[in-house]
Amino acid sequence: MVTAEEAADLALQLRFNFVRLRISFEQGNRDDADPSGLSAAFRQELLASVEPLKAQRIWILLEMRTDDETANHAPLYDPASPGFAAYRKAWTWIARTFKGTDWIAGYGLLAEPSPDKAGLDPVPALITFQAALMEAITREDAVTPFFVGPAFNYDTMGYRWDAYQTDPKLAAYRGRLVYEVNLLMPKPWIVDGSVPPGVALEAGTWPQPSGGDFGALLQVAPGEDLLRPRDDERIFTRRRQEPATFPLLMTREFPAWYLGFAKAFAERHQVPMVLDQFGASTTVNTLANPNQQLAYEQAVIEAAEAAGMGWCRWIYSGHPSDRSIAGNASVHAFYASLGATRPGP
């Protein structure tokens, strides 16, 4: 739950004007017997979190997520299934409850959707899901924007598919759509400072020298049963773990290349795009290079802003604590100093 003290810190010290407030649709927070689909305790926690953010005039994205077992299986994406009906019920309550509420920036339909892991054709399956959910929400609230993103967990390469804007099922919602993209790369380095097996990089080596060909990250290797552009996400996932190509992800130029797919989509369709998750762990810092975490995050922010994107760091507080702003003095000071140069809430 967001406290008044945290909201004051976000607004007055960090000068953030946007928060992505996570709504976890999972066991413990669910109550399928209730008309809201959510437990009374969780509903109260959500209402209590919105109030201090509103008081500080911080825009709030209400973004729903669910557990992997639900998100990675086909029933969630089928508007005729009981699983979809339960998810829709929760969203109907949210829209009815927060319709017309000041400082609600939008409704994030499903954080990091994964119809690809459910064995579905990801683009049409996700669009069908999004359109059906937006239809239900619109019956309660016809104004608040929707925040959406592509399959493969908001992967930037999903934006090569224009259907996420042009599909006729989305026609009624154009003008209300805000798009999201993740940049949680390079893994595993941002998590704990490590690199994939066989990669000859020592800790503390961000950034690597530039000049490599990023196209190598999307090359199909001999013998692979993969096709471009159909399998771009899978191709990239393989290449980014290989000794020859992983160092490309450790260059200062990588964030701009990676976000380039989302940037091109936003420019083609003249739609807003938000970098909704980025950030590294404090464990990437070393005695030889104690500031590489924040140097990396600065490079990501610069790439996002150069691409015309708003951004929202993951995370402010909570688990894992080594990736949060609250509780990490150097990280907090960095964002406070950055915020001092911005207009703020």
Side-chain angles (χ1 to χ4, degrees), residues 150-278:
F152 292 89
N153 296 350
Y154 287 168
D155 193 297
T156 183
M157 292 165 200
Y159 284 113
R160 67 192 181 281
W161 305 120
D162 289 316
Y164 285 118
Q165 168 68 196
T166 62
D167 190 288
K169 294 186 184 71
L170 302 175
Y173 313 108
R174 293 181 194 133
R176 287 179 72 184
L177 298 179
V178 180
Y179 292 86
E180 297 180 82
V181 61
N182 284 353
L183 204 174
L184 296 173
M185 302 282 172
K187 288 182 179 177
W189 182 81
I190 61 167
V191 176
D192 59 14
S194 65
V195 298
V199 174
L201 293 179
E202 296 180 2
T205 53
W206 190 93
Q208 284 293 292
S210 59
D213 178 11
F214 289 110
L217 292 167
L218 286 173
Q219 288 202 349
V220 179
E224 287 184 325
D225 186 21
L226 298 170
L227 294 174
R228 295 207 62 207
R230 183 193 69 188
D231 299 315
D232 279 4
E233 294 93 347
R234 293 187 174 94
I235 297 166
F236 174 78
T237 296
R238 294 187 183 184
R239 300 293 87 81
R240 70 177 176 84
Q241 301 177 63
E242 295 175 348
T245 44
F246 177 81
L248 292 169
L249 281 70
M250 294 284 284
T251 62
R252 189 177 297 277
E253 292 76 19
F254 172 74
W257 176 82
Y258 188 80
L259 294 175
F261 299 86
K263 176 187 177 184
F265 179 93
E267 291 177 345
R268 286 197 304 274
H269 301 293
Q270 291 298 289
V271 292
M273 182 73 66
V274 176
L275 173 57
D276 76 314
Q277 289 190 66
F278 73 95

Side-chain angles (χ1 to χ4, degrees), residues 189-192 279-285 293 297 313 322-323:
W189 182 81
I190 61 167
V191 176
D192 59 14
S281 166
T282 56
T283 61
V284 307
N285 294 323
Q293 175 207 4
E297 293 189 17
R313 186 190 187 272
D322 57 26
R323 297 183 70 177

Side-chain angles (χ1 to χ4, degrees), residues 1 17 25-26 30 33 99 164 168 179 208 226 292 303 334:
M1 185 174 71
N17 59 9
F25 185 74
E26 55 190 19
R30 291 178 59 169
K99 174 179 65 176
Y164 285 118
Y179 292 86
Q208 284 293 292
L226 298 170
Q292 64 177 349
F334 169 79

Side-chain angles (χ1 to χ4, degrees), residues 57-193:
R57 299 186 299 154
I58 297 174
W59 287 102
I60 306 158
L61 168 60
L62 298 174
E63 185 155 53
M64 190 104 83
R65 66 177 294 278
T66 188
D67 55 273
D68 289 346
E69 183 178 357
T70 301
N72 297 351
H73 288 80
L76 178 64
Y77 304 96
D78 178 4
S81 76
F84 178 88
Y87 196 77
R88 178 181 59 204
K89 181 167 66 170
W91 263 118
T92 299
W93 177 83
I94 291 168
R96 186 182 304 129
T97 301
F98 292 102
K99 174 179 65 176
T101 300
D102 290 342
W103 301 101
I104 299 298
Y107 302 137
L109 298 184
L110 175 61
E112 300 185 330
S114 306
D116 45 288
K117 295 178 182 175
L120 301 171
D121 189 353
V123 179
L126 184 54
I127 290 172
T128 297
F129 165 86
Q130 291 170 339
L133 201 54
M134 288 189 286
E135 180 183 13
I137 293 171
T138 297
R139 287 195 288 267
E140 303 291 338
D141 179 352
V143 177
T144 301
F146 297 115
F147 281 62
V148 296
F152 292 89
N153 296 350
Y154 287 168
D155 193 297
T156 183
M157 292 165 200
Y159 284 113
R160 67 192 181 281
W161 305 120
D162 289 316
Y164 285 118
Q165 168 68 196
T166 62
D167 190 288
K169 294 186 184 71
L170 302 175
Y173 313 108
R174 293 181 194 133
R176 287 179 72 184
L177 298 179
V178 180
Y179 292 86
E180 297 180 82
V181 61
N182 284 353
L183 204 174
L184 296 173
M185 302 282 172
K187 288 182 179 177
W189 182 81
I190 61 167
V191 176
D192 59 14

